[in-house]
Amino acid sequence: MKLNRNKDFESTPARQLVKFLWEEMLKQDDSELENLTQTPSQFIFEAAKFGNSQFLVELIGCYPDFMHQFDVNGYSIFHIAVLHRHANVFNLIYEIGLTKDIFVTIEDEDQKINMLHLAAKLPHPSRIGIVSGAALQMQRELLWFKEIEKIVQPSFREKKNLNGQTPQELFTQEHKELLKSGEQWMKNTANSCMLVATIITTIIFATVFSVSDGNDSSKGLPIHLKEIWFQVFVISDAIALSFSSISILMFLSILTSRYTEDGFLESLPFKLIVGLSTLCVSIITMMVAFSTTLLLAYHDSLNCVTMLTTIVASIPATLYIMLHYPLLGDIFCSTYHSRFLFKPSKPMF
C-alpha cells in the first residue's frame, strides 16, 4: 500500500498489519528467533535502508527504545538514512527533540567516521538515479552534505578518517566523476540551446527591417503603422529579440563558468532555468510575429489556407514546451522545492 504522510496512518489496514505481525514476532521465544535470518532490531535497520519511514514510526512509537539501537557498524537509523539518502527517514531526527544531539555526535571510532563522512560518500547508483541529469544529481548530493554539516558539531567538519581525509575532502574525491559528468551535461545542454537562441535572434533582427508592403513614400513610415496587427508584430518581435538575447547571455555564462562544487547548488541551475524560460518565451513570440506578418500581408485575401498556416505556426512553440517542460520542471523542483527536503514535519510519534 502506498502511504502518504499526510494521511491518517492510525486507521489504515497497513498499520494494523504491521502492528499485528510485530506483536506475533515478539511472542516467539529466543530459540525461534535464532532461526530467523534477522533479529527484531535488524528490521529497524532494514526499514531505514529502504526508506520505510511509516514502519519506523509505528515501531518506534510503540517501542521508543528501538530508536537507540545500533547495527554492527555502530550506526543508528539516522546514519543509515544518510548513507542511503532517505530524507523521509532522516527527517524523523527533527521530531525527537534534544535526543537529536546524541545521534549526530555518534561516530565510528575504528574507522573514525562521523555522520558528515557518511554524507560525503557517494551512495548506491540506484539512489543517485532518483534525480535525472548528472548536474541535478550533484546538486542533490550537495544538499545532503550541507544539511548534515549544519547539524553536526563544528569540530566534526574537520575531523579526519583513517585515510586522513576531512568530510569535505572525502566528498570531493567521491564525487569527482559525478562533477565531471555534471559539467559535461551542463555544457551540452547550454550549447544546444544557445544555438537555437542564436538562430532566433538572427531571424528576428532581420525581420524587423523587412516589414511587408514596405514604407510610405511621402513620410518613410511603415504603411501598416496604425494597424493593430502591425503593433502586435512590433511588440512580439521586440520581446522575441530581447528574450533570445537574454537566453544567449545565460547559456554563455554557463559555458564560461568555473564549475565549482558550490556552483551546482544554485548558481548554475538558476542560469539554466532562466535560459530555458527566456528561450521558450522567444520561440512563442517569434511565432506570434510570424503569424501577424502573415495576416498583414494577406489581410485583404484571408482564406482557410492563410488561417491554417497561422495555426500551424503555433506547433513549434507547443512542441518546445512539451519537450522541455519536464526538464525545466525537474530543474526548478530540484533547485527550489528541494530546500524543503529537510525540515521538521508535524509530529508523527
Side-chain angles (χ1 to χ4, degrees), residues 89-129:
V89 175
F90 180 76
N91 281 339
L92 299 179
I93 200 172
Y94 296 110
E95 303 177 21
I96 59 179
L98 296 176
T99 313
K100 175 185 70 173
D101 298 330
I102 299 175
F103 290 102
V104 298
T105 57
I106 295 171
E107 57 182 330
D108 187 342
E109 295 292 343
D110 295 331
Q111 299 294 325
K112 295 185 178 181
I113 294 176
N114 57 51
M115 187 178 282
L116 193 55
H117 280 105
L118 296 180
K121 287 186 175 182
L122 194 68
H124 191 273
S126 62
R127 294 303 304 160
I128 296 180

Side-chain angles (χ1 to χ4, degrees), residues 304-337:
C304 294
V305 176
T306 306
M307 298 303 296
L308 181 62
T309 305
T310 304
I311 295 173
V312 171
S314 65
I315 293 179
T318 306
L319 192 60
Y320 175 86
I321 294 173
M322 291 176 60
L323 293 176
H324 286 80
Y325 175 77
L327 174 61
L328 187 59
D330 286 345
I331 300 172
F332 184 85
C333 290
S334 182
T335 303
Y336 297 105
H337 183 68

Side-chain angles (χ1 to χ4, degrees), residues 11-304:
S11 60
T12 60
R15 177 193 181 278
Q16 299 171 15
L17 177 61
V18 168
K19 186 175 181 180
F20 173 78
L21 292 175
W22 187 255
E23 289 175 349
E24 288 298 314
M25 186 172 190
L26 293 180
K27 292 178 182 178
Q28 308 299 317
D29 56 34
D30 293 339
S31 60
E32 291 175 313
L33 286 175
E34 288 176 358
N35 295 327
L36 294 174
T37 57
Q38 293 178 314
T39 61
S41 61
Q42 286 177 316
F43 282 103
I44 298 289
F45 306 128
E46 288 297 316
K49 180 179 178 180
F50 290 100
N52 195 337
S53 60
Q54 295 289 8
F55 181 80
L56 290 170
V57 168
E58 168 60 25
L59 295 187
I60 294 174
C62 296
Y63 311 96
D65 289 341
F66 278 129
M67 186 170 55
H68 299 277
Q69 297 286 335
F70 299 95
D71 67 2
V72 293
N73 296 317
Y75 296 154
S76 67
I77 58 173
F78 303 112
H79 289 76
I80 295 174
V82 171
L83 187 61
H84 295 281
R85 304 296 194 267
H86 289 297
N88 57 340
V89 175
F90 180 76
N91 281 339
L92 299 179
I93 200 172
Y94 296 110
E95 303 177 21
I96 59 179
L98 296 176
T99 313
K100 175 185 70 173
D101 298 330
I102 299 175
F103 290 102
V104 298
T105 57
I106 295 171
E107 57 182 330
D108 187 342
E109 295 292 343
D110 295 331
Q111 299 294 325
K112 295 185 178 181
I113 294 176
N114 57 51
M115 187 178 282
L116 193 55
H117 280 105
L118 296 180
K121 287 186 175 182
L122 194 68
H124 191 273
S126 62
R127 294 303 304 160
I128 296 180
I130 62 174
V131 180
S132 60
L136 300 184
Q137 291 168 2
M138 185 66 187
Q139 182 190 52
R140 181 60 62 90
E141 287 295 288
L142 283 164
L143 285 171
W144 270 98
F145 187 79
K146 297 293 183 183
E147 181 64 23
I148 306 303
E149 193 176 40
K150 292 177 186 176
I151 65 174
V152 299
Q153 295 180 353
S155 60
F156 277 32
R157 300 169 190 170
E158 300 300 327
K159 281 196 172 183
K160 298 182 178 181
N161 58 15
L162 285 178
N163 296 324
Q165 295 172 308
T166 63
Q168 182 60 61
E169 291 170 346
L170 180 61
F171 182 90
T172 301
Q173 179 187 344
E174 290 275 326
H175 294 79
K176 183 168 54 177
E177 293 301 321
L178 186 60
L179 182 66
K180 291 181 181 178
S181 300
E183 178 181 347
Q184 191 61 44
W185 184 87
M186 274 284 183
K187 286 183 176 179
N188 290 341
T189 304
N191 266 321
S192 301
C193 295
M194 187 175 177
L195 176 62
V196 176
T198 303
I199 294 174
I200 292 174
T201 303
T202 305
I203 294 173
I204 291 298
F205 186 79
T207 303
V208 75
F209 296 105
S210 56
V211 184
S212 301
D213 294 340
N215 301 328
D216 187 350
S217 58
S218 60
K219 297 182 179 180
L221 298 175
I223 296 175
H224 303 293
L225 181 61
K226 296 183 179 180
E227 293 189 25
I228 184 66
W229 287 118
F230 183 82
Q231 296 175 19
V232 172
F233 163 76
V234 172
I235 293 173
S236 59
D237 194 273
I239 293 175
L241 182 62
S242 299
F243 277 77
S244 60
S245 299
I246 293 172
S247 182
I248 291 174
L249 292 175
M250 287 295 105
F251 293 129
L252 183 61
S253 178
I254 292 174
L255 292 174
T256 56
S257 175
R258 294 188 299 129
Y259 293 97
T260 60
E261 290 178 357
D262 290 340
F264 284 91
L265 194 58
E266 194 165 326
S267 174
L268 288 172
F270 171 76
K271 292 176 182 177
L272 192 57
I273 289 173
V274 174
L276 290 172
S277 301
T278 51
L279 180 59
C280 178
V281 173
S282 65
I283 291 176
I284 294 173
T285 50
M286 180 183 67
M287 293 298 103
V288 172
F290 168 77
S291 301
T292 52
T293 304
L294 196 65
L295 292 173
L296 281 171
Y298 299 97
H299 65 285
D300 293 331
S301 57
L302 289 177
N303 51 42
C304 294

